């Protein structure tokens, strides 16, 4: 529920109520205002609204939104009391869907579930971006990467074999813990399905207080579509270049007065501009919503993704440079495969003790299975000769997560507290299988010449392999946290909180199938590796106007380190300090938001290979380390979003990042050099306009531009004379432009897009592993029927 905050004296009163459709369904995102005043709000997803801080007296309450007749009621506000009044619309929920209700909340007036506490974005002392269903639909996104291109400060990268999506925020790679689905850690293996998402939330900076051991750039939360208590849905067919076909069905409705359902399913088949590469995906997302009384609800949801994809290392390198070969050239074996299966289940219980206090409990499960076979990255000599070394792998991952949070509002005198108290735990285990080859040459598949296509497929047999053993690796985490947003005055607020995290990583267990033996991983630790960390957060917020928020904040997060110190003790985690300041502005009554953020991230205890051992002798063991290094990431982010006119939606952003080494060993990386994988600058802009009158009513036109700055691949430069491994591979920046046109007639819609209209050629890179060309000019179209 959204509260328009007004600080009033004790004699003030409040208004609350619920707006429903003619068939009893909640009417969400309806505008509720007090006539002839500037006070108002938007109904929540449950159709509820509250307006506080009203002086006693008579008021006219008015509700309205696009396409419906305005309704008014006269209400009395009594000192110290809340007056309750309800509205019933003449339209059904289906009619509301046809009209397509548009929330009039600005980006800064929204709350994000990834923040857990229900705090408005303008009250958070860190940068937040929300990409809603409008962006997802208009841009015809298929992957999470398609959505995140719209987020300033997030840069797309590449990973080993291009089998998963890779993202960088403020220079830091977003690891497995940084991507969430409905607030729970989610595997990015198999590439998450994004076309069926309701929204994507990005909380930039440190989120360690809320989620524990996450990297410092950002966390990304994918919010799936939920059941509704009215019948409806959509069927669509999406087609595109390179034999892309994707039918989707989305059906929802009530099972009874207290139970609603939703089922989303999609099947995707596609070839690629890359020779040989193809994908075959099946996705199913069922969910049930139970109303367990007036104050309690249970949401049960799950999904299953089967994704078969051809692993692709791109064009490789020749003599340390990107070769001049066709964009379509495929250098892996013709039979290479990467097959994944991902299944999740989640139960979410929410209980409201009152309008101010809420308890939320979540239990979740995820399994991820991967079966991979193919050649490794192609690395050619100056003449193009590259070995082909095969990799055969298989793994199973299981993750269990539990969360409990209590949120509420309390007052100590005139000081208001918005409190968050919580705890979470997760347990995960991974089983990785080892293989042996029946052929005498083992994983050696011969050589080929990157510059000579006639050598690419001279060998096409699939060597026989068998499982020879496995390694079992468990990890246990738990944490507890508390946070308080303290409103000292109407204009000055303080956010303070701290988290304690405990992590336990038992020694891996390896089973040798040939000898029927089980051994513990070889290391110097007497038992499990145990880590403890405190993650504080502190922010100051000053709001001279209700439309303007200035803030400064400090937070820390931690990253685990492998190896030991010179005395063979397990390394402690590295504590990373983050400083951020910014301004959030709303203009034209919230029709446009303009936010600017500056940040500094410092890792002052970067673990590096120790120069000397405990006896003062030169150390040659790379697992023996010391906290003798440092990195720093400085940056600036600007984002603009809005709906300044009827039918006109836009968003734009720019980011600059300088992530570099600031302290290294005498034999280490050159100070001042940008970290491999980081992107200097990104920018994005999207504009869509839908005509609502005249003969062109229903016509939609749009354009999007995405800019990726300079990057480096390959290896970091070592200080002289330690430079034998080569220099970084410089990759220039690039810009792609997409054009969109569509038309909606009643329940039927058509939408078409031409991507990379200038046919730009460039690459996404991953260290020295993958150099993958971006897609050329492509077409995609979607026809959909809503009911």
């Amino acid at each position: 529920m959204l509260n328009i905050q007004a600080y009033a004296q004790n004699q003030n009163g409040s208004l609350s109520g619920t707006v429903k459709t003619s068939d009893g369904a909640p009417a969400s995102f309806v505008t509720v205002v007090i006539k002839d005043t500037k006070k108002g709000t938007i109904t929540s997803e449950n159709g509820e609204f509250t307006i506080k801080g009203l002086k006693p007296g008579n008021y006219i309450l008015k509700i309205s939104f696009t396409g419906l007749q305005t309704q008014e009621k006269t209400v009395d506000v009594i000192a110290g009391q809340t007056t309750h009044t309800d509205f019933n619309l003449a339209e059904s929920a289906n009619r509301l869907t046809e009209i397509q209700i548009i929330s009039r909340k600005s980006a800064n007036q929204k709350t994000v579930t990834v923040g857990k506490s229900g705090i408005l974005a303008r009250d958070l002392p860190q940068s937040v971006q929300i990409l809603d269903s409008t962006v997802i639909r208009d841009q015809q996104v298929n992957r999470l990467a398609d959505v995140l291109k719209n987020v300033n400060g997030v840069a797309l990268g590449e990973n080993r074999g291009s089998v998963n999506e890779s993202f960088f925020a403020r220079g830091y790679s977003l690891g497995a813990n940084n991507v969430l689905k409905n607030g729970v850690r989610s595997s990015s293996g198999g590439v998450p399905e994004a076309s069926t998402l309701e929204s994507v939330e990005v909380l930039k900076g440190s989120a360690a207080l809320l989620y524990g051991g996450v990297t410092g750039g950002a966390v990304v939360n994918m919010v799936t579509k939920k059941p509704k208590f009215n019948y409806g849905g959509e069927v669509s067919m999406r087609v595109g270049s390179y034999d892309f076909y994707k039918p989707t069905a989305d059906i929802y409705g009530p099972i009874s007065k207290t139970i609603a359902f939703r089922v989303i399913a999609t099947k995707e088949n596609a070839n690629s501009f890359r020779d040989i590469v193809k994908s075959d995906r099946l996705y199913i997302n069922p969910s049930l919503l139970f109303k367990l009384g007036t104050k309690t609800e249970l949401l049960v949801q799950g999904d299953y993704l089967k994704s078969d994809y051809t692993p692709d290392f791109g064009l490789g390198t020749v003599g340390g440079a990107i070769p001049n070969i066709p964009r379509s050239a495929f250098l892996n074996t013709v039979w290479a495969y990467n097959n994944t299966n991902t299944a999740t289940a989640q139960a979410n219980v929410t209980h409201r003790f009152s309008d101010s206090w809420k308890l939320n409990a979540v239990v979740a499960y995820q399994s991820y299975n991967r079966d991979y076979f193919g050649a490794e990255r192609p690395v050619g000599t100056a003449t193009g000769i590259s070995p082909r070394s095969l990799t055969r792998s298989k793994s199973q991952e299981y993750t269990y997560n539990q969360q409990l949070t209590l949120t509420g509002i309390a007052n100590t005198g005139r000081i208001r507290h918005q409190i968050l108290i919580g705890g979470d735990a997760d347990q995960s285990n991974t089983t990785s299988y080892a293989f042996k080859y029946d052929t005498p040459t083992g994983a050696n598949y011969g050589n080929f010449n990157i510059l000579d296509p006639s050598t690419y497929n001279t060998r096409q047999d699939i060597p026989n392999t068998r499982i020879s053993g496995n390694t079992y690796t468990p990890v246990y985490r738990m944490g507890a946290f508390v946070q308080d947003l303290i409103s000292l005055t109407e204009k000055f607020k303080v956010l303070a909180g701290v988290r304690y995290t405990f992590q336990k990583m038992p020694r891996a267990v390896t089973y040798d199938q040939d000898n029927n033996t089980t051994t513990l991983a070889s290391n110097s630790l007497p038992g499990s590796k145990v880590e403890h960390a405190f993650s504080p957060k502190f922010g100051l917020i000053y709001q001279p106007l209700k439309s303007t928020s200035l803030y400064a904040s400090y937070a820390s997060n931690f990253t685990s380190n492998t190896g030991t110190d010179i005395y063979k003790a397990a390394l402690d985690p590295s504590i990373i300090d983050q400083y951020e300041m910014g301004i959030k502005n709303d203009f034209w009554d919230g029709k446009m938001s303009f936010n600017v953020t500056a940040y500094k991230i410092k890792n002052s205890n970067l673990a590096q290979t120790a120069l000397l051992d405990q006896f003062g002798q030169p150390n040659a063991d790379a697992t023996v380390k010391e906290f003798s290094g440092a990195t720093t990431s400085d940056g600036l982010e600007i984002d603009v979003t809005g709906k300044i006119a009827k039918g006109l939606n836009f968003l734009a952003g720019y980011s600059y990042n300088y992530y570099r080494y600031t302290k290294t060993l005498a034999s280490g990386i050159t100070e001042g050099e940008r970290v491999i994988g980081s992107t200097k600058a990104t920018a994005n802009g999207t504009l869509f306009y839908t005509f609502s009158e005249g003969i062109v009513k229903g016509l939609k036109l749009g354009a999007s531009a995405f800019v990726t700055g300079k990057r480096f691949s390959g290896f970091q430069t070592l200080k002289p004379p330690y430079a034998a491994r080569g220099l970084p591979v410089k990759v220039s920046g690039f810009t792609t432009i997409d054009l969109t046109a569509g038309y909606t007639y009643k329940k039927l819609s058509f939408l078409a897009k031409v991507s990379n209209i200038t046919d730009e050629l460039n690459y996404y890179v991953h260290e020295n592993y993958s150099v993958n060309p971006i897609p050329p000019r492509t077409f995609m179209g979607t026809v959909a029927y809503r009911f």
Side-chain angles (χ1 to χ4, degrees):
M1 180 169 21
L2 172 66
N3 293 328
I4 299 297
Q5 297 184 17
Y7 291 83
Q9 304 297 324
N10 293 333
Q11 68 268 22
N12 288 349
S14 303
L15 287 174
S16 69
T18 303
V19 182
K20 293 184 178 181
T21 59
S22 62
D23 49 0
S28 56
F29 305 133
V30 173
T31 301
V32 182
V33 298
I34 298 176
K35 194 172 182 179
D36 299 325
T37 75
K38 294 183 178 180
K39 293 184 178 292
T41 186
I42 304 292
T43 59
S44 68
E45 292 186 359
N46 297 323
E48 299 171 346
F49 67 89
T50 299
I51 304 175
K52 296 183 177 181
L54 300 174
K55 294 181 179 180
N58 295 325
Y59 295 91
I60 297 177
L61 199 59
K62 181 173 69 174
I63 65 167
S64 65
F65 62 89
T66 305
L68 292 189
Q69 184 176 357
T70 298
Q71 291 191 30
E72 296 182 354
K73 278 188 180 182
T74 301
V75 293
D76 294 327
V77 174
I78 302 173
Q81 297 184 22
T82 298
T83 301
H84 190 87
T85 185
D86 295 331
F87 286 88
N88 290 296
L89 303 177
E91 288 76 12
S92 68
N94 278 334
R95 171 62 177 156
L96 295 188
T97 301
E98 291 174 23
I99 293 172
Q100 189 178 3
I101 303 171
I102 300 174
S103 171
R104 287 169 173 78
K105 290 184 289 186
S106 74
N108 294 326
Q109 293 172 334
K110 296 179 180 179
T111 60
V112 285
T113 57
V114 71
K116 291 188 177 181
S117 58
I119 296 176
L120 297 177
R122 69 182 181 193
D123 291 339
L124 276 175
Q126 63 187 111
S127 181
V128 180
Q129 264 187 277
I130 305 172
L131 287 306
D132 61 18
S133 57
T134 302
V135 175
I136 294 171
R137 177 183 291 269
D138 287 349
Q139 294 186 359
Q140 301 182 84
V141 305
N142 291 298
R143 304 289 183 265
L144 183 57
D146 298 332
V147 185
L148 294 184
K149 287 194 298 184
N150 297 282
V151 180
N152 69 69
V154 175
L156 305 189
E158 193 52 87
N159 61 28
R160 194 166 181 163
S162 192
V163 295
N164 298 323
E165 292 179 308
S166 182
F167 311 111
F168 296 82
R170 299 183 173 181
Y172 284 82
S173 175
L174 301 187
N177 293 337
N178 288 63
V179 178
L180 315 170
K181 182 181 291 182
N182 297 315
V184 176
R185 287 187 176 94
S186 175
S187 173
S188 59
V191 184
E193 178 61 35
S195 62
T196 55
L197 295 177
E198 183 68 34
S199 64
V200 174
E201 306 169 335
V202 181
L203 182 64
K204 301 177 190 176
S206 174
L209 185 145
L210 301 175
Y211 296 99
V214 294
T215 59
V219 292
V220 177
N221 185 38
M222 300 178 290
V223 181
T224 60
K225 295 178 179 179
K226 305 297 189 294
K228 295 183 178 182
F229 280 94
N230 59 281
Y231 287 108
E234 180 180 274
V235 291
S236 66
M237 182 67 185
R238 184 169 292 174
V239 298
S241 303
Y242 307 103
D243 303 317
F244 179 96
Y245 299 98
K246 185 175 186 177
T248 301
D250 177 6
I251 303 171
Y252 53 82
I255 297 176
S256 69
K257 291 184 178 180
T258 57
I259 305 175
F261 78 94
R262 190 162 197 160
V263 178
I264 305 171
T266 182
K267 182 71 167 69
E268 177 185 316
N269 293 92
N271 292 322
S272 171
F273 70 95
R274 304 276 298 142
D275 296 338
I276 309 297
V277 174
K278 61 181 180 180
S279 63
D280 183 0
R281 294 163 59 88
L282 171 66
Y283 178 77
I284 302 174
N285 174 209
S287 56
L288 290 169
L289 178 61
F290 300 84
K291 293 290 186 180
L292 306 178
T294 58
K295 296 185 177 181
T296 306
E297 67 178 32
L298 167 64
L299 175 63
V300 179
Q301 54 192 329
D303 60 7
Y304 170 76
L305 172 64
K306 182 181 185 296
S307 177
D308 299 340
Y309 182 79
T310 307
D312 181 14
F313 287 91
L315 306 184
T317 57
V318 171
I322 299 174
N324 183 22
I325 59 177
R327 189 191 328 227
S328 61
F330 180 73
L331 307 184
N332 207 331
T333 63
V334 294
W335 45 263
Y337 60 83
N338 181 76
N339 300 332
T340 65
N341 290 273
T342 307
T344 71
Q346 184 180 126
N348 188 319
V349 178
T350 302
H351 176 75
R352 294 181 179 274
F353 297 102
S354 66
D355 289 342
S356 301
W357 287 89
K358 180 177 71 173
L359 181 69
N360 181 251
V362 179
V363 293
Y365 161 81
Q366 177 178 259
S367 68
Y368 170 66
N369 299 322
R370 178 176 183 246
D371 190 6
Y372 174 94
F373 200 6
E376 272 294 335
R377 65 191 187 277
V379 181
T381 63
T383 58
I385 303 300
S386 174
R388 264 198 180 138
S389 180
L390 301 180
T391 293
R392 177 76 174 95
S393 63
K394 187 176 183 180
S395 62
Q396 300 172 340
E397 299 178 13
Y398 300 96
T399 303
Y400 309 85
N401 183 270
Q402 306 86 39
Q403 299 181 19
L404 186 67
T405 55
L406 175 66
T407 58
I409 296 173
N411 295 297
T412 54
R414 294 186 179 182
I415 298 176
R416 182 177 185 270
H417 302 266
Q418 190 165 348
I419 300 168
L420 168 67
I421 302 171
D424 53 51
D426 62 73
Q427 311 82 40
S428 63
N429 62 77
T430 303
T431 301
S432 302
Y433 293 90
F435 289 84
K436 286 188 176 180
Y437 293 81
D438 291 344
T439 57
T441 57
N444 185 357
Y445 204 63
N447 295 341
F448 74 105
N449 192 325
I450 295 176
L451 302 177
D452 184 0
S454 67
T455 67
Y456 290 178
N457 302 316
T458 55
R459 183 176 175 181
Q460 299 187 20
D461 61 297
I462 305 177
N464 190 49
T465 62
R466 61 181 177 85
I467 294 175
S468 61
N470 64 72
T471 299
Y472 175 82
T473 308
V475 178
Y476 305 94
R477 304 181 184 92
M478 63 179 63
F481 52 90
V482 60
Q483 177 183 280
D484 188 7
L485 176 64
I486 307 168
S487 299
L488 299 175
T489 69
E490 182 178 355
K491 297 182 178 181
F492 187 66
K493 303 175 183 179
V494 176
L495 185 140
V498 66
R499 176 193 179 93
Y500 168 75
T501 300
F502 168 87
Q503 291 189 166
K504 180 180 179 181
M505 291 161 280
R507 294 169 66 179
V509 179
T510 299
Y511 171 68
D512 187 326
Q513 185 167 298
D514 292 343
N515 299 315
N516 194 27
T517 58
T518 300
T519 58
L520 290 173
S522 176
N523 62 33
S524 59
L525 301 179
S528 302
K529 180 180 181 182
V530 176
E531 295 182 344
H532 307 264
F534 284 94
S535 303
K537 185 174 184 177
F538 181 79
L540 301 176
I541 305 106
Y542 176 62
Q543 297 169 335
L545 304 171
K546 290 184 178 181
S547 59
T548 301
S549 182
L550 297 90
Y551 69 89
S553 64
Y554 163 80
S556 75
N557 65 284
F558 65 94
T559 57
S560 298
N561 291 300
T562 60
T564 67
D565 64 17
I566 62 175
Y567 301 105
K568 303 301 181 182
L571 283 181
D572 291 331
S574 293
I575 305 300
I576 301 174
D577 298 310
Q578 303 201 35
Y579 306 88
E580 182 172 327
M581 61 186 301
I583 181 170
K584 301 178 182 181
N585 283 289
D586 285 341
F587 297 98
W588 299 310
D589 197 26
K591 293 180 180 180
M592 186 183 81
S593 297
F594 181 87
N595 301 337
V596 180
T597 307
Y599 62 85
K600 179 183 288 289
I601 306 174
K602 298 180 66 176
N603 182 357
S604 300
N605 51 353
L606 179 69
Q608 302 181 109
T609 302
L611 285 177
L612 304 175
D613 62 20
Q614 61 178 309
F615 306 107
Q617 300 300 313
N619 171 51
D621 186 349
T623 66
V624 177
K625 302 177 181 180
E626 59 183 338
F627 290 115
S628 55
T631 60
T632 302
S633 175
D634 297 320
L636 176 71
E637 297 165 353
I638 302 172
D639 67 86
V640 185
T641 60
K643 300 173 183 178
I644 58 176
K646 184 178 180 181
L648 179 64
N649 300 323
F650 70 91
L651 61 91
Y654 169 81
S655 70
Y656 171 82
N657 175 258
Y658 184 23
Y659 181 32
R660 74 280 189 192
Y661 290 92
T662 51
K663 182 181 179 183
T664 66
L665 298 172
S667 58
I669 297 165
T670 303
E671 277 97 345
E673 184 168 289
R674 291 180 181 270
V675 177
I676 290 292
S678 62
T679 302
K680 181 178 180 180
T682 64
N684 63 279
T686 292
L687 181 69
F688 276 85
Y689 183 74
T690 303
F691 294 87
S692 58
E693 298 176 352
I695 60 174
V696 292
K697 181 180 179 180
L699 177 65
K700 181 190 295 286
L701 299 175
S704 299
F706 305 102
V707 180
T708 300
K710 296 179 181 179
R711 294 140 294 140
F712 289 95
S713 182
F715 297 98
Q716 301 283 175
T717 305
L718 299 180
K719 297 176 182 177
Y722 309 94
R725 63 180 182 179
L727 299 176
V729 177
K730 296 182 179 180
V731 184
S732 63
F734 67 93
T735 300
T736 59
I737 299 173
D738 303 344
L739 297 181
T740 296
Y743 182 73
T744 299
Y745 177 73
K746 294 184 177 180
K747 298 181 180 182
L748 192 63
S749 66
F750 305 87
L751 196 62
K753 178 176 70 173
V754 179
S755 300
N756 191 7
I757 195 168
T758 60
D759 203 26
E760 180 79 9
L761 174 61
N762 211 284
Y763 311 90
Y764 288 125
V765 294
H766 170 64
E767 298 178 351
N768 64 320
Y769 292 115
S770 295
V771 179
N772 292 75
I774 66 172
R777 184 187 301 114
T778 56
F779 165 84
M780 184 167 291
T782 303
V783 57
Y785 178 78
R786 304 183 74 179
F787 53 89

